[in-house]
Amino acid sequence: MRRVQIAATVALLALACAPDAQARKLGSLEFKTCSLSTPFSDEALPAQCAILQVPENPASPTGRKIGLKIAWIPADKDDAAEPDPVFMLAGGPGQSALESYPQTANAFAETRKKRHIILVDQRGTGESNALSCKEPFDETELPTPQAASDYTRRCLAALSKRADPRFYTTTEAIQDLDAVRKAIGAGKINLVGISYGTRVAQQYAAKYPASTRTIVLDSVAPNSLVLGNEFARNLEEALDLQFALCAKTPTCLQRMGDPRAKLRTLMAKLESDPPLVAYRDGITGESKQEKLTPALVAGLVRMYAYMPLASSLLPLQLNEAANGRYDALMALSKMLGDQMSESITMGMQLSVICSEDGSELKANPADEGTLLGNDFANYLAAQCAVWPKGTRPAGFRAPLKTAVPALLLSGEFDPVTPPRYGEAVVKPLANGRHLVLRGQGHNVIGVGCMPKLMAQFIDSADARKLDAKCLAKLAYTPPFTGFYGWEP
């Protein structure tokens, strides 16, 4: 098996280094063989890559240019592909589409049988002039507003010579997408937006309806949503649903008790006396010592709540902590925190949030006492007080009203974009349909039979005729009742 892996890697490297004879054209763009990889995996996928130069400031076409990194994953039936490709729009804001795709590639397997997949690193992410804040900061606790401001100023100073952050918002991004559409010679495109990518898809469909054939919105963020204001409430509601599974599982209830009560007790202890924990680094295996803080646990719980399979571990881990065993909780918190920091381009995220949401960020007294409280909103507000802001167009907050066929997807347990968001967005969509996937979290296009349903929708451009009965087979993930797993 090892020899096969080495041979495959050598083949991919040879492909990536192939001469210009391997170049292919799509529309007016010349693509060269490349491979797509992610920081979370050693696997790489073959693709075709190109760069499209666009003005940083659309109002100044002769000014500084940005090279947009584009990847093309050809359809299985390359020579007979449909003329309308699929654009996958990454989340975050701040994720690279080219780095995100390998993790979701299986979700597009059915769609690729007939259509090309196009990935564009949104300006400010990946290899499209990434607005990366390279300086690390202490993630063991949320900084004070002053510390947040100071850190943001240093990041801004490091970027000032090569970027104007005012022009890295959703508004410029959808203009870039349309420039790519024209460059590859596509009359219409299909959009698959994931999380923040659903905001991009809605804004594109509103501005370029004639160029939009279908839209798939996975984990829907309404145009009216102020990113950051509802994170605390949404997480509490998702945790209530997920922890309720333990109460309904006799063995979990007997062995683990009430996960919600144990979480409250743990957070209170960490606030008053955070323990020094010896643990083994989950990536390097190195032995380390560090204090377990409320911020580390809150971050872990929030990220695990995105994925029901991972959240099924929480009752067990909270029970371990209640018995004074913190090492696994610490190792998981640090590993997940490191991975997430590598996947989000902070400067681009600030350009989007501060320009589009910053003026409406506010603390909510009702969130005091929740796991996240108001720290997240206060932290963002402090950063946005420093970060340069672009212009949010009039009508940006208006709900999308269009006849463009739309398929909306939500996970029942999603802690950041709950099903009620999808329900609100689908109402004014004349040809829209909303599916809620039982027991699922955030980003659901790859779950169960969803890849097949998505391909059928994009083929037919009719969400209402989809036979979605296959989703009834989705089962809830039982909570772990021991390190060996859950009860059979």
Side-chain angles (χ1 to χ4, degrees):
M1 178 62 73
R2 181 63 178 167
R3 290 180 180 177
V4 172
Q5 290 175 335
I6 292 173
T9 301
V10 171
L12 281 171
L13 288 172
L15 202 59
C17 299
D20 289 349
Q22 296 287 334
R24 300 177 57 185
K25 292 198 73 172
L26 190 61
S28 63
L29 284 184
E30 185 174 276
F31 287 79
K32 296 181 181 180
T33 301
C34 63
S35 59
L36 307 181
S37 60
T38 170
F40 308 134
S41 172
D42 292 333
E43 295 183 7
L45 299 177
Q48 303 287 323
C49 290
I51 300 290
L52 177 64
Q53 297 292 330
V54 295
E56 181 182 56
N57 178 0
S60 180
T62 60
R64 182 163 52 195
K65 298 291 193 295
I66 297 172
L68 296 178
K69 185 66 176 287
I70 305 164
W72 162 30
I73 297 92
D76 291 346
K77 298 179 180 178
D78 195 352
D79 56 348
E82 297 292 339
D84 46 283
V86 173
F87 280 50
M88 189 206 83
L89 310 177
Q95 289 186 315
S96 156
L98 276 71
E99 289 181 3
S100 299
Y101 180 77
Q103 301 170 71
T104 60
N106 289 339
F108 290 86
E110 291 291 325
T111 301
R112 274 193 59 211
K113 290 180 178 179
K114 294 183 179 180
R115 285 177 170 80
H116 303 310
I117 308 297
I118 303 295
L119 311 170
V120 182
D121 269 350
Q122 187 168 331
R123 56 169 62 202
T125 72
E127 295 186 49
S128 297
N129 200 28
L131 303 187
S132 299
C133 299
K134 297 294 186 182
E135 177 190 346
F137 64 94
D138 185 1
E139 294 180 332
T140 60
E141 56 184 325
L142 286 171
T144 63
Q146 184 61 51
S149 296
D150 292 344
Y151 175 83
T152 304
R153 285 191 181 92
R154 292 194 298 272
C155 175
L156 185 60
L159 296 173
S160 61
K161 292 184 179 180
R162 62 178 181 84
D164 185 336
R166 295 176 300 165
F167 302 114
Y168 289 76
T169 73
T170 305
T171 300
E172 287 80 29
I174 63 172
Q175 295 178 53
D176 291 343
L177 288 177
D178 205 53
V180 174
R181 176 193 66 79
K182 292 175 182 176
I184 64 173
K188 291 192 174 187
I189 57 177
N190 304 280
L191 302 175
V192 177
I194 302 170
S195 193
Y196 161 71
T198 67
R199 173 182 280 191
V200 180
Q202 290 172 81
Q203 296 294 327
Y204 182 94
K207 185 168 184 177
Y208 304 104
S211 302
T212 310
R213 182 175 172 273
T214 66
I215 55 175
V216 176
L217 305 179
D218 175 8
S219 306
V220 189
N223 288 336
S224 59
L225 179 65
V226 178
L227 297 182
N229 274 0
E230 298 187 9
F231 286 166
R233 170 194 173 187
N234 292 344
L235 177 59
E236 294 298 315
E237 292 176 352
L239 289 176
D240 285 342
L241 291 170
Q242 293 176 14
F243 286 158
L245 292 179
C246 185
K248 296 174 183 177
T249 306
T251 307
C252 182
L253 187 61
Q254 178 185 358
R255 295 182 183 176
M256 307 301 157
D258 180 358
R260 170 64 83 178
K262 291 191 174 181
L263 178 59
R264 284 195 294 266
T265 301
L266 173 63
M267 296 302 285
K269 175 176 176 53
L270 300 186
E271 289 281 357
S272 61
D273 185 23
L276 182 64
V277 179
Y279 69 100
R280 189 177 297 277
D281 188 287
I283 297 176
T284 66
E286 181 184 358
S287 294
K288 296 182 177 180
Q289 277 193 336
E290 190 172 319
K291 284 193 174 183
L292 183 64
T293 65
L296 283 172
V297 173
L300 175 69
V301 172
R302 182 170 185 261
M303 289 299 102
Y304 264 30
Y306 277 58
M307 305 164 286
L309 186 61
S311 67
S312 65
L313 283 165
L314 284 176
L316 174 63
Q317 294 297 344
L318 293 172
N319 186 61
E320 287 290 293
N323 287 285
R325 296 184 289 269
Y326 303 108
D327 53 327
L329 200 60
M330 173 65 87
L332 290 169
S333 298
K334 296 298 293 182
M335 182 173 66
L336 190 63
D338 291 343
Q339 289 178 339
M340 289 305 299
S341 65
E342 293 177 4
S343 69
I344 297 293
T345 310
M346 184 179 292
M348 177 273 191
Q349 185 176 84
L350 290 175
S351 287
V352 169
I353 293 179
C354 297
S355 299
E356 299 167 11
D357 306 289
S359 63
E360 298 171 83
L361 283 168
K362 60 182 179 181
N364 183 354
D367 290 339
E368 293 297 337
T370 64
L371 187 65
L372 295 182
N374 284 297
D375 288 334
F376 198 91
N378 291 338
Y379 178 80
L380 276 176
Q383 291 182 296
C384 289
V386 173
W387 202 257
K389 299 165 189 62
T391 302
R392 189 179 74 192
F396 186 90
R397 291 287 186 214
L400 177 65
K401 296 181 180 179
T402 181
V404 172
L407 178 63
L408 284 67
L409 312 173
S410 297
E412 180 187 7
F413 291 171
D414 190 335
V416 63
T417 54
R420 71 175 184 275
Y421 287 177
E423 292 167 7
V425 172
V426 80
K427 286 181 180 179
L429 300 180
N431 294 303
R433 182 178 179 184
H434 181 213
L435 300 177
V436 179
L437 279 66
R438 179 171 58 195
Q440 303 305 308
H442 197 66
N443 187 356
V444 296
I445 54 172
V447 174
C449 62
M450 204 57 245
K452 184 174 291 187
L453 291 178
M454 180 172 71
Q456 290 173 357
F457 164 66
I458 294 174
D459 283 346
S460 67
D462 192 338
R464 294 178 181 175
K465 288 186 178 179
L466 284 181
D467 182 357
K469 294 188 182 68
C470 58
L471 293 176
K473 297 179 182 179
L474 293 176
Y476 291 104
T477 302
F480 275 53
T481 53
F483 286 103
Y484 51 80
W486 50 75
E487 290 294 304

Coordinates of all heavy atoms in Angstrom, one line a residue, residues 435-480:
L435 N -34.6 21.8 2.2 CA -34.5 20.5 2.8 C -33.7 20.6 4.1 O -32.6 21.2 4.1 CB -33.8 19.5 1.8 CG -34.4 19.3 0.5 CD1 -33.5 18.4 -0.4 CD2 -35.8 18.7 0.6
V436 N -34.3 20.0 5.1 CA -33.6 20.0 6.4 C -33.1 18.5 6.7 O -34.0 17.6 6.7 CB -34.5 20.5 7.6 CG1 -33.8 20.4 8.9 CG2 -35.0 21.9 7.3
L437 N -31.8 18.3 6.9 CA -31.3 17.0 7.0 C -31.2 16.6 8.5 O -30.5 17.3 9.3 CB -29.9 16.9 6.4 CG -29.9 16.7 4.9 CD1 -30.5 17.9 4.1 CD2 -28.5 16.4 4.4
R438 N -31.9 15.6 8.8 CA -32.1 15.1 10.2 C -30.7 14.8 10.9 O -29.9 14.1 10.3 CB -33.0 13.9 10.3 CG -33.2 13.3 11.6 CD -34.3 12.2 11.6 NE -33.9 11.1 10.8 CZ -34.8 10.2 10.3 NH1 -36.0 10.3 10.7 NH2 -34.4 9.2 9.6
G439 N -30.6 15.3 12.1 CA -29.4 15.0 12.9 C -28.1 15.5 12.4 O -27.0 15.2 12.9
Q440 N -28.1 16.4 11.3 CA -26.9 16.9 10.7 C -26.5 18.2 11.2 O -27.3 19.0 11.8 CB -27.0 16.9 9.2 CG -27.4 15.5 8.6 CD -26.4 14.4 9.0 OE1 -25.2 14.6 8.9 NE2 -26.9 13.3 9.6
G441 N -25.2 18.6 11.0 CA -24.7 19.9 11.4 C -24.5 20.9 10.3 O -25.4 21.1 9.5
H442 N -23.3 21.4 10.2 CA -23.0 22.5 9.2 C -22.3 21.8 8.0 O -21.5 20.9 8.1 CB -22.0 23.5 9.9 CG -21.9 24.8 9.2 ND1 -23.0 25.7 9.1 CD2 -20.9 25.4 8.5 CE1 -22.5 26.7 8.4 NE2 -21.3 26.6 8.1
N443 N -22.7 22.3 6.8 CA -22.2 21.8 5.5 C -22.7 20.4 5.3 O -22.0 19.4 5.7 CB -20.7 21.9 5.5 CG -20.1 21.5 4.1 OD1 -20.8 21.2 3.2 ND2 -18.8 21.7 4.0
V444 N -23.7 20.2 4.5 CA -24.4 18.9 4.4 C -24.5 18.4 3.0 O -25.1 17.3 2.8 CB -25.8 19.0 5.0 CG1 -25.8 19.3 6.5 CG2 -26.7 20.0 4.3
I445 N -23.9 19.0 2.0 CA -24.0 18.5 0.6 C -23.4 17.2 0.4 O -23.7 16.5 -0.5 CB -23.4 19.5 -0.4 CG1 -22.0 19.9 -0.1 CG2 -24.3 20.7 -0.6 CD1 -21.3 20.6 -1.2
G446 N -22.5 16.7 1.3 CA -21.9 15.4 1.2 C -22.5 14.3 2.0 O -22.0 13.2 2.0
V447 N -23.6 14.6 2.6 CA -24.2 13.6 3.5 C -25.2 12.7 2.8 O -26.1 13.2 2.0 CB -25.0 14.4 4.7 CG1 -25.7 13.4 5.6 CG2 -24.0 15.2 5.5
G448 N -25.1 11.4 3.1 CA -26.1 10.5 2.6 C -26.3 10.5 1.1 O -25.3 10.5 0.3
C449 N -27.5 10.7 0.6 CA -27.8 10.7 -0.8 C -27.8 12.1 -1.4 O -28.2 12.4 -2.5 CB -29.2 10.1 -1.1 SG -30.6 11.0 -0.3
M450 N -27.3 13.1 -0.6 CA -27.4 14.5 -1.0 C -26.6 14.8 -2.2 O -27.0 15.6 -3.1 CB -26.9 15.4 0.2 CG -27.4 16.8 0.1 SD -29.2 17.0 0.1 CE -29.4 17.7 -1.6
P451 N -25.4 14.1 -2.4 CA -24.6 14.4 -3.7 C -25.5 14.0 -4.9 O -25.4 14.7 -5.9 CB -23.4 13.5 -3.6 CG -23.2 13.4 -2.1 CD -24.6 13.3 -1.5
K452 N -26.2 12.9 -4.8 CA -27.1 12.5 -6.0 C -28.2 13.5 -6.2 O -28.5 13.9 -7.3 CB -27.6 11.1 -5.8 CG -28.4 10.6 -6.9 CD -28.8 9.1 -6.7 CE -27.5 8.2 -6.8 NZ -27.9 6.8 -6.8
L453 N -28.8 14.0 -5.1 CA -29.9 14.9 -5.2 C -29.4 16.3 -5.8 O -30.1 16.9 -6.6 CB -30.6 15.1 -3.8 CG -31.3 14.0 -3.2 CD1 -31.9 14.3 -1.8 CD2 -32.5 13.6 -4.1
M454 N -28.2 16.7 -5.3 CA -27.7 18.0 -5.9 C -27.5 17.8 -7.4 O -27.8 18.8 -8.1 CB -26.4 18.3 -5.1 CG -25.8 19.6 -5.6 SD -24.4 20.2 -4.7 CE -23.2 19.0 -5.1
A455 N -26.9 16.7 -7.8 CA -26.7 16.6 -9.2 C -28.0 16.5 -10.0 O -28.1 17.1 -11.1 CB -25.9 15.3 -9.5
Q456 N -29.0 15.9 -9.5 CA -30.3 15.8 -10.1 C -30.9 17.2 -10.2 O -31.5 17.6 -11.3 CB -31.2 14.9 -9.4 CG -30.8 13.4 -9.5 CD -31.7 12.5 -8.6 OE1 -32.5 13.0 -7.8 NE2 -31.4 11.2 -8.7
F457 N -30.8 18.0 -9.2 CA -31.3 19.3 -9.2 C -30.6 20.2 -10.2 O -31.3 20.9 -11.0 CB -31.2 20.0 -7.8 CG -31.4 21.5 -7.9 CD1 -32.6 22.1 -8.2 CD2 -30.3 22.3 -7.6 CE1 -32.7 23.4 -8.3 CE2 -30.5 23.7 -7.7 CZ -31.7 24.3 -8.0
I458 N -29.3 20.1 -10.3 CA -28.6 21.0 -11.2 C -28.9 20.5 -12.7 O -29.0 21.4 -13.6 CB -27.0 20.9 -10.9 CG1 -26.7 21.6 -9.6 CG2 -26.2 21.6 -12.1 CD1 -25.3 21.5 -9.1
D459 N -29.1 19.2 -12.9 CA -29.5 18.8 -14.2 C -30.8 19.2 -14.6 O -31.0 19.7 -15.7 CB -29.4 17.2 -14.3 CG -28.0 16.7 -14.4 OD1 -27.1 17.4 -14.6 OD2 -27.9 15.4 -14.1
S460 N -31.8 19.1 -13.7 CA -33.2 19.4 -14.1 C -33.6 20.9 -13.8 O -34.6 21.4 -14.4 CB -34.1 18.5 -13.2 OG -34.1 18.9 -11.8
A461 N -32.8 21.6 -13.0 CA -33.2 22.9 -12.6 C -34.6 23.0 -12.0 O -35.3 24.0 -12.2 CB -33.0 23.9 -13.8
D462 N -35.0 22.0 -11.3 CA -36.3 21.9 -10.7 C -36.2 21.3 -9.3 O -36.2 20.0 -9.2 CB -37.3 21.2 -11.6 CG -38.7 21.3 -11.2 OD1 -39.0 21.6 -10.0 OD2 -39.6 21.1 -12.0
A463 N -36.1 22.1 -8.3 CA -36.0 21.5 -6.9 C -37.2 20.8 -6.4 O -37.2 19.8 -5.7 CB -35.6 22.6 -6.0
R464 N -38.4 21.3 -6.9 CA -39.6 20.8 -6.4 C -39.9 19.3 -6.8 O -40.7 18.6 -6.2 CB -40.8 21.7 -6.7 CG -40.6 23.0 -6.0 CD -41.7 24.0 -6.3 NE -41.5 25.3 -5.6 CZ -42.3 26.4 -5.8 NH1 -43.3 26.3 -6.7 NH2 -42.0 27.5 -5.1
K465 N -39.3 18.9 -7.9 CA -39.6 17.6 -8.4 C -38.6 16.6 -7.9 O -38.7 15.4 -8.2 CB -39.5 17.6 -10.0 CG -40.7 18.3 -10.6 CD -40.7 18.1 -12.1 CE -41.9 18.8 -12.8 NZ -41.9 18.7 -14.3
L466 N -37.7 17.0 -7.1 CA -36.7 16.0 -6.5 C -37.4 15.1 -5.6 O -38.3 15.4 -4.8 CB -35.7 16.8 -5.7 CG -34.6 17.5 -6.4 CD1 -33.6 18.2 -5.4 CD2 -33.8 16.6 -7.3
D467 N -37.1 13.8 -5.7 CA -37.6 12.8 -4.8 C -36.6 12.7 -3.7 O -35.5 12.0 -3.8 CB -37.8 11.4 -5.5 CG -38.3 10.4 -4.6 OD1 -38.5 10.6 -3.4 OD2 -38.6 9.2 -5.1
A468 N -36.8 13.3 -2.6 CA -35.9 13.4 -1.5 C -36.2 12.4 -0.4 O -35.6 12.5 0.8 CB -35.9 14.8 -0.9
K469 N -36.9 11.3 -0.7 CA -37.3 10.3 0.3 C -36.0 9.6 0.9 O -36.0 9.1 2.0 CB -38.2 9.3 -0.2 CG -39.6 9.8 -0.6 CD -40.5 8.6 -1.0 CE -41.9 9.1 -1.4 NZ -41.9 9.9 -2.6
C470 N -35.0 9.6 0.1 CA -33.7 8.9 0.5 C -33.1 9.5 1.8 O -32.4 8.9 2.5 CB -32.7 8.8 -0.6 SG -32.2 10.4 -1.2
L471 N -33.4 10.8 2.0 CA -32.9 11.5 3.2 C -33.5 11.0 4.5 O -32.9 11.2 5.6 CB -33.1 13.0 3.1 CG -32.4 13.8 2.0 CD1 -32.8 15.2 1.9 CD2 -30.9 13.6 2.2
A472 N -34.6 10.3 4.4 CA -35.3 9.7 5.6 C -34.4 8.6 6.2 O -34.6 8.3 7.4 CB -36.6 9.2 5.2
K473 N -33.4 8.1 5.5 CA -32.5 7.1 6.0 C -31.5 7.6 6.9 O -30.8 6.9 7.6 CB -31.9 6.3 4.8 CG -32.8 5.6 3.9 CD -32.1 4.9 2.8 CE -33.1 4.2 1.8 NZ -32.3 3.6 0.7
L474 N -31.3 9.0 6.9 CA -30.3 9.5 7.8 C -30.6 9.3 9.3 O -31.8 9.5 9.7 CB -30.2 11.1 7.6 CG -29.7 11.5 6.2 CD1 -29.7 13.0 6.1 CD2 -28.2 11.0 6.0
A475 N -29.6 8.8 10.0 CA -29.9 8.5 11.4 C -29.1 9.4 12.3 O -28.1 10.0 11.9 CB -29.4 7.0 11.7
Y476 N -29.6 9.6 13.5 CA -28.9 10.4 14.5 C -27.6 9.7 15.0 O -27.6 8.4 15.0 CB -29.7 10.6 15.7 CG -30.9 11.6 15.5 CD1 -32.2 11.0 15.4 CD2 -30.7 12.9 15.3 CE1 -33.3 11.9 15.1 CE2 -31.8 13.8 15.1 CZ -33.1 13.3 15.0 OH -34.1 14.1 14.7
T477 N -26.5 10.4 15.2 CA -25.3 9.9 15.7 C -25.4 9.7 17.2 O -25.5 10.6 17.9 CB -24.1 10.8 15.4 OG1 -24.0 11.0 14.0 CG2 -22.8 10.1 15.8
P478 N -25.3 8.4 17.7 CA -25.5 8.2 19.1 C -24.3 8.8 19.9 O -23.2 8.9 19.4 CB -25.5 6.7 19.3 CG -25.7 6.2 17.9 CD -25.1 7.2 17.0
P479 N -24.5 9.3 21.1 CA -23.4 9.8 21.9 C -22.5 8.6 22.4 O -22.9 7.5 22.6 CB -24.1 10.4 23.1 CG -25.4 9.7 23.2 CD -25.8 9.4 21.8
F480 N -21.2 8.9 22.4 CA -20.2 8.0 22.9 C -20.5 7.7 24.4 O -20.7 8.6 25.2 CB -18.8 8.5 22.7 CG -18.2 8.2 21.4 CD1 -18.9 8.6 20.2 CD2 -17.0 7.6 21.3 CE1 -18.3 8.4 19.0 CE2 -16.4 7.3 20.0 CZ -17.1 7.7 18.9

